């Protein structure tokens, strides 16, 4: 059997597995985030989502309150942290900034042309704005791709000593669970985009079509973060980290948590904390909009939210 035939067969299998249709996706503007009618709510009213926009002149009490910068993953939107905000509002006295990644929450074309550095920029914008306003208890919570974005910021020293108290990583992706994603640079240009399976609710908050250009950006980001973790580095002084990782999900391999645990230490050289979660959901803390949610899923979500809030109050 010739090598040419094997390569053709492999490409065909990849195409079927990724269920891509054509180079130009057919977007329903009225029902999909990809279109030009549905946008992330934070774009309309930033003050409802960002502490830096909501409070012009924070009081001394507010400056010392825990502020958590909550950031969603690739192809998602601020919706991913709505449930945490709702739960926190009812159970804790903290401030929350739900940051929309650059290039996200807008049209397919805007998403397509964005880079991972564009995605990262709003995180630093909000962090710097909070620092400038005198907040002293800044924290971070990221899901999926938000995790390597903040890990990169730590590695390159963008987050300074005593600048962030706690960092919570939910299902961080450093190694993809779908190994075909590693071939995106080869297969992607031939296919153009890939299609995801969303529920009717998710269509409003997650891209249905994922441009191969953005998947290449995702791979560039996680490759960079993986190499940095293999070399090893440390958290800023005064910063704690806890990783919560589903034992099995279809996006982020559980090895991702192992790499973070081995490659990243506290400033004094001690280990960060990792908790493996008995779940097969990716971003198990987001349950709204899913087709099937069990009581076990809800109990696990509450357990992790309670744990995060307790650590924030220490």
């Amino acid at each position: 059997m010739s090598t040419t035939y094997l390569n053709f067969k492999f490409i065909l299998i990849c195409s079927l597995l990724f269920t891509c249709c054509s180079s130009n996706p057919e977007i329903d503007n009225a029902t999909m985030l990809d279109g030009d009618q549905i946008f992330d709510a934070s774009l309309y009213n930033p003050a409802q989502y960002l502490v830096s926009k909501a409070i012009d002149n924070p009081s001394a009490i507010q400056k010392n309150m825990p502020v958590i910068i909550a950031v969603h993953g690739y192809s998602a939107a601020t919706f991913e942290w709505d449930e945490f905000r709702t739960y926190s509002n009812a159970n804790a006295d903290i401030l929350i900034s739900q940051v929309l990644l650059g290039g996200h929450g807008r049209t397919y074309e805007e998403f397509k042309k964005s880079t991972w550095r564009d995605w990262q920029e709003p995180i630093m914008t909000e962090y710097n704005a909070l620092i400038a306003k005198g907040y002293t208890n800044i924290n971070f919570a990221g899901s999926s791709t938000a995790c390597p974005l903040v890990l990169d910021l730590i590695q390159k020293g963008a987050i300074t000593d005593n600048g962030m108290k706690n960092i919570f990583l939910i299902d961080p992706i450093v190694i993809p669970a779908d190994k075909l994603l590693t071939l995106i640079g080869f297969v992607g240009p031939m296919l153009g985009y890939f299609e995801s399976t969303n529920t009717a609710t998710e269509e409003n908050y997650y891209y249905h079509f994922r441009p191969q250009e953005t998947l290449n950006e995702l791979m560039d980001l996680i490759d960079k973060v993986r190499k940095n973790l293999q070399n090893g580095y440390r958290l800023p002084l005064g910063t704690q980290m806890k990783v919560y990782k589903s034992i099995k999900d279809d996006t982020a391999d559980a090895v991702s948590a192992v790499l973070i645990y081995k490659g990243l230490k506290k400033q004094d050289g001690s280990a960060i904390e990792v908790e493996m979660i008995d779940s097969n959901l990716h971003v198990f803390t987001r349950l709204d909009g899913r087709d099937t949610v069990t009581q076990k899923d809800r109990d696990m979500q509450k357990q992790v939210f309670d744990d995060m809030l307790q650590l924030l109050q220490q």
Side-chain angles (χ1 to χ4, degrees):
M1 189 178 292
S2 70
T3 301
T4 301
Y5 175 76
L6 286 173
N7 287 340
F8 174 78
K9 184 176 180 182
F10 176 73
I11 293 169
L12 179 61
I13 291 171
C14 288
S15 301
L16 292 173
L17 287 173
F18 280 116
T19 61
C20 177
C21 301
S22 67
S23 59
N24 296 308
E26 295 183 6
I27 297 171
D28 186 335
N29 287 311
T31 64
M32 292 181 179
L33 177 63
D34 315 57
D36 58 9
Q37 295 182 31
I38 299 173
F39 298 97
D40 188 81
S42 68
L43 296 172
Y44 298 114
N45 195 343
Q48 287 189 358
Y49 287 82
L50 302 176
V51 173
S52 66
K53 301 291 186 182
I55 305 173
D56 289 332
N57 297 298
S59 66
I61 292 176
Q62 288 172 323
K63 288 180 181 180
N64 291 319
M65 288 175 64
V67 183
I68 187 161
I69 301 173
V71 188
H72 61 86
Y74 166 82
S75 82
T78 55
F79 170 77
E80 205 153 77
W81 284 97
D82 279 356
E83 290 159 88
F84 177 71
R85 177 186 285 274
T86 299
Y87 189 82
S88 299
N89 286 345
N91 294 280
D93 192 15
I94 66 173
L95 301 172
I96 300 175
S97 284
Q98 286 174 260
V99 169
L100 178 67
L101 294 181
H104 286 65
R106 304 162 173 88
T107 65
Y108 172 86
E109 289 301 325
E110 289 180 270
F111 182 40
K112 179 179 178 179
K113 68 184 181 183
S114 65
T115 69
W116 70 259
R117 289 177 176 82
D118 294 329
W119 308 345
Q120 187 183 65
E121 185 176 355
I123 301 173
M124 279 306 297
T125 298
E126 181 63 6
Y127 170 77
N128 287 332
L130 293 172
I131 291 288
K133 288 196 170 189
Y135 288 97
T136 62
N137 191 347
I138 302 173
N139 305 268
F140 177 87
S143 49
S144 193
T145 299
C147 302
L149 288 172
V150 80
L151 288 172
D152 176 71
L153 291 173
I154 294 167
Q155 190 275 332
K156 61 190 181 188
I159 296 172
T160 59
D161 287 349
N162 293 310
M164 197 170 280
K165 301 298 184 184
N166 292 281
I167 297 176
F168 305 109
L169 304 184
I170 307 294
D171 286 335
I173 180 170
V174 179
I175 302 294
D178 185 350
K179 304 312 174 189
L180 288 176
L181 186 58
T182 61
L183 303 173
I184 189 65
F186 175 64
V187 179
M190 292 180 284
L191 302 181
Y193 67 90
F194 304 98
E195 205 168 340
S196 61
T197 302
N198 296 332
T199 66
T201 298
E202 289 171 337
E203 288 286 79
N204 293 288
Y205 305 106
Y206 293 80
Y207 287 105
H208 183 91
F209 299 108
R210 300 177 181 188
Q212 63 90 12
E213 292 88 348
T214 61
L215 288 167
N216 268 310
E217 290 294 324
L218 174 60
M219 287 306 302
D220 287 347
L221 168 65
I222 62 178
D223 283 348
K224 181 178 187 291
V225 169
R226 186 189 73 254
K227 290 173 183 176
N228 287 335
L229 288 170
Q230 289 170 345
N231 291 330
Y233 56 102
R234 296 191 179 190
L235 290 169
L237 181 67
T239 301
Q240 308 293 319
M241 175 178 285
K242 184 164 184 178
V243 178
Y244 305 88
K245 181 70 191 73
S246 289
I247 293 174
K248 182 177 178 59
D249 73 56
D250 60 3
T251 299
D253 195 303
V255 175
S256 298
V258 177
L259 289 178
I260 296 170
Y261 179 79
K262 289 184 175 181
L264 185 59
K265 304 296 182 184
K266 297 178 186 178
Q267 186 60 220
D268 63 4
S270 60
I272 64 169
E273 188 175 357
V274 174
E275 181 176 348
M276 301 305 293
I277 303 298
D278 184 15
S279 173
N280 61 0
L281 299 178
H282 182 59
V283 188
F284 64 90
T285 49
R286 192 275 299 179
L287 301 179
D288 286 353
R290 296 186 190 269
D291 275 336
T292 303
V293 175
T294 67
Q295 187 57 49
K296 177 183 175 183
D297 294 328
R298 297 199 180 281
D299 291 343
M300 188 60 66
Q301 181 196 59
K302 180 180 184 302
Q303 177 183 323
V304 171
F305 284 173
D306 284 339
D307 189 51
M308 291 171 62
L309 294 177
Q310 182 179 7
L311 291 171
L312 286 171
Q313 300 295 338
Q314 291 181 356

